[in-house]
Amino acid sequence: MTKRLGSIVQDRAAGRRASSLWVRTLSAVVGGAVLAGLVVGIVALDRREDRSRAMYHDVILMAGLQYDLLESGRAGVELSVDAASDPVAVGEESFTPLPGVEVVVEQRGELYCVKGRNQHGDETRWLCVDGTGDRPELGTLADEFG
C-alpha cells in the first residue's frame, strides 16, 4: 500500500510538471506572437508616416508662402499643382511639390486654405492662413496637424 501511494504521488507530481511545462511553453508562444504583432504594427505605422511626410512638408511650405503674401497686403494665390506641373510663382518664390504630392489652395473669404494629397490616397486636413498670427513653419507639423 505504501508503495502504491508513493507511485500515485510520483505520477501526480510528474503530471503537474508536464502541465506546468505546457503552460509555460504556450505562454511563451502567445507572448512571442503578441510581440511580433506589435513590431509589425509599429513598422507599418512608421512607413505610413514616412510616406506622408512630403505631403505635410509641402502643405506647410505653401501655407507659409500664402501667409507671406497676405501679411504684406497682397492677395493669396489659388492653385492646384503637382510635381508634374510647371513651377508656380507664389509671391517672389517658385513652388513645385515634391514627387507624388498635389497641393491645392482655395480662397475662403479672407482665408487661403491649403490641402495636400499624395499618390497613396492620403490627404491632409485644410490649413488656413490669413496673414495674421503665427506663420506656419516646417517645425510645426505636429502643432498644425496634430
Side-chain angles (χ1 to χ4, degrees):
M1 179 96 155
T2 316
K3 195 170 189 174
R4 248 194 203 157
L5 187 55
S7 178
I8 291 171
V9 170
Q10 286 177 345
D11 288 347
R12 285 187 180 168
R16 283 189 199 118
R17 281 192 299 272
S19 176
S20 176
L21 179 62
W22 188 85
V23 168
R24 282 186 270 158
T25 302
L26 182 61
S27 296
V29 168
V30 169
V34 168
L35 183 60
L38 286 173
V39 168
V40 167
I42 289 168
V43 168
L45 185 61
D46 188 50
R47 282 190 184 145
R48 182 172 178 83
E49 187 175 309
D50 284 348
R51 77 181 196 189
S52 61
R53 185 169 283 127
M55 173 181 63
Y56 286 104
H57 170 273
D58 283 351
V59 167
I60 293 287
L61 187 61
M62 177 55 72
L65 294 173
Q66 296 290 335
Y67 178 94
D68 292 344
L69 286 173
L70 297 168
E71 184 185 45
S72 69
R74 295 180 282 175
V77 178
E78 288 188 282
L79 58 86
S80 179
V81 62
D82 61 25
S85 304
D86 290 332
V88 294
V90 182
E92 289 79 41
E93 301 291 326
S94 178
F95 176 83
T96 302
L98 294 169
V101 176
E102 176 189 6
V103 174
V104 176
V105 180
E106 293 181 1
Q107 183 178 6
R108 296 181 177 179
E110 299 295 313
L111 301 174
Y112 279 80
C113 299
V114 184
K115 183 175 197 158
R117 298 180 186 96
N118 67 17
Q119 75 269 23
H120 304 290
D122 302 323
E123 288 188 0
T124 68
R125 66 177 196 205
W126 289 100
L127 175 58
C128 299
V129 294
D130 65 0
T132 64
D134 293 333
R135 182 185 192 278
E137 297 291 338
L138 292 176
T140 62
L141 284 175
D143 296 337
E144 299 296 337
F145 293 103

